[in-house]
Amino acid sequence: MTIPFLTADRLAALATYPDVVGFLERALRSGEVDPEVDSPRLFSPAPRGEFLVMPTSGQTWSGVKLLTIAPENPARGLPKIQGVYTLFASDDLAPRVLMDAVELTLLRTPATTVTAIKHLLAAGPDLGPEPIRVVVVGTGPQAERHLHCLSAVLDRPLDVAVTGRRPGAAEAFAERMSGHEGLAVRAGTPDDVRDAAVVLCVTSSSTPVLDDALVAADAVVAAIGSHGAQRAELPAALVRRGDVAVEARASAMREAGNLLQARTGEEWSALPVANLSDLVNGRFERTPGRPAIFSGVGMAWEDLVVATALYQRHQETDGQ
């Protein structure tokens, strides 16, 4: 059996970010996907790092993402995260296609975050005609791709300030990003958060990267960089004063340190926490004067929805 492999370049050519957001929204609106019903992520030790396995199943298609995470690799000039995605036909469990898992993740993660931001903004006060003020905390590949996705999906001018934890990282990021798709990006400071309508935290930090006192009352804050109950990009006080949305309540209670550092699981179970289906299907109302918080951890159903749509496009364009 020869199984086709879709490279990173091929995946990127098959869909734009608005397309990928559309894939996710259609799956959530149709009822094809219930974010609360998904397999948990599995971690296992590997030499110099760990394996991350993300399986999930659907009526027609099923899939498994296998990643390796090697923290020492960047110092050696090698990628920290590498891996493959396998898409299976559910009726006979035969593998149909392999994909570059890193590019798949760089497509679905920003699209998931921006889907949430899009609907949180729509549920809040009118931002008017001026450029949307955005602060990005983080300077890595996910920060870059999130900004591209946000610009493409919101389809309006953004006034972007970026901050990083390493000296010179924000300046280099701003220089690299400015001019792409009409983006105006500059190196910023924590004080830029005061006037931001959207704050994106895309770091691997285990401790909060924002000052709660700087976040405006009606801001939308999305944090997706740190995973695990003991790690949090957001201060507990900010999470406690915000309207909270997650990909799924079940996965958040397993992995979202942003939430679990702010309240216990039992406390969260008594509070209204929206999932991504609630946002997309209009079952979420924002409280005036409170920030809206989205905390994402990454889920296997997102990979399956996007991988399936990309494979179908590949078949259509290649006539296979």
Side-chain angles (χ1 to χ4, degrees), residues 152-176:
V153 172
L154 295 186
D155 194 26
R156 58 179 289 178
L158 306 179
D159 177 3
V160 182
V162 61
T163 66
R165 293 177 293 162
R166 292 178 290 109
E171 289 80 2
F173 182 93
E175 182 176 355
R176 187 167 68 249

Side-chain angles (χ1 to χ4, degrees), residues 83-302:
V84 294
Y85 189 85
T86 307
L87 187 65
F88 299 85
S90 294
D91 62 346
D92 59 4
L93 291 182
R96 291 291 192 264
V97 65
L98 300 173
M99 301 181 182
D100 183 283
V102 173
E103 180 62 25
L104 178 63
T105 303
L106 286 169
L107 288 169
R108 69 84 155 144
T109 303
T112 301
T113 307
V114 173
T115 296
I117 292 173
K118 170 186 169 182
H119 291 279
L120 291 173
L121 287 173
D126 186 356
L127 296 179
E130 298 300 316
I132 298 175
R133 293 188 175 183
V134 178
V135 169
V136 179
V137 185
T139 57
Q142 279 288 2
E144 182 173 328
R145 300 293 284 268
H146 271 75
L147 190 50
H148 282 304
C149 184
L150 189 68
S151 175
V153 172
L154 295 186
D155 194 26
R156 58 179 289 178
L158 306 179
D159 177 3
V160 182
V162 61
T163 66
R165 293 177 293 162
R166 292 178 290 109
E171 289 80 2
F173 182 93
E175 182 176 355
R176 187 167 68 249
M177 294 294 291
S178 287
H180 286 275
E181 301 159 357
L183 283 170
V185 185
R186 58 184 170 80
T189 70
D191 272 350
D192 285 299
V193 172
R194 294 183 188 276
D195 299 318
V198 176
V199 181
L200 268 170
C201 297
V202 197
T203 77
S204 58
S205 177
S206 60
T207 58
V209 295
L210 289 181
D211 181 347
D212 171 52
L214 297 178
V215 178
D218 291 317
V220 171
V221 180
I224 59 88
S226 293
H227 307 146
Q230 305 306 316
R231 304 170 68 87
E233 290 181 287
L234 303 182
L238 172 61
V239 177
R240 285 195 292 264
R241 75 179 173 98
D243 292 329
V244 176
V246 295
E247 289 154 300
R249 290 174 283 273
S251 65
M253 291 302 100
R254 289 193 300 265
E255 294 190 57
N258 290 318
L259 274 64
L260 296 172
Q261 296 295 307
R263 291 188 174 98
T264 66
E266 184 177 352
E267 289 171 329
W268 281 115
S269 67
L271 294 171
V273 176
N275 67 22
L276 204 57
S277 180
D278 295 327
L279 295 186
V280 169
N281 288 290
R283 298 191 298 266
F284 177 80
E285 292 185 9
R286 290 184 57 181
T287 306
R290 297 183 67 176
I293 310 295
F294 175 74
S295 180
V297 298
M299 297 186 68
W301 69 263
E302 300 157 1

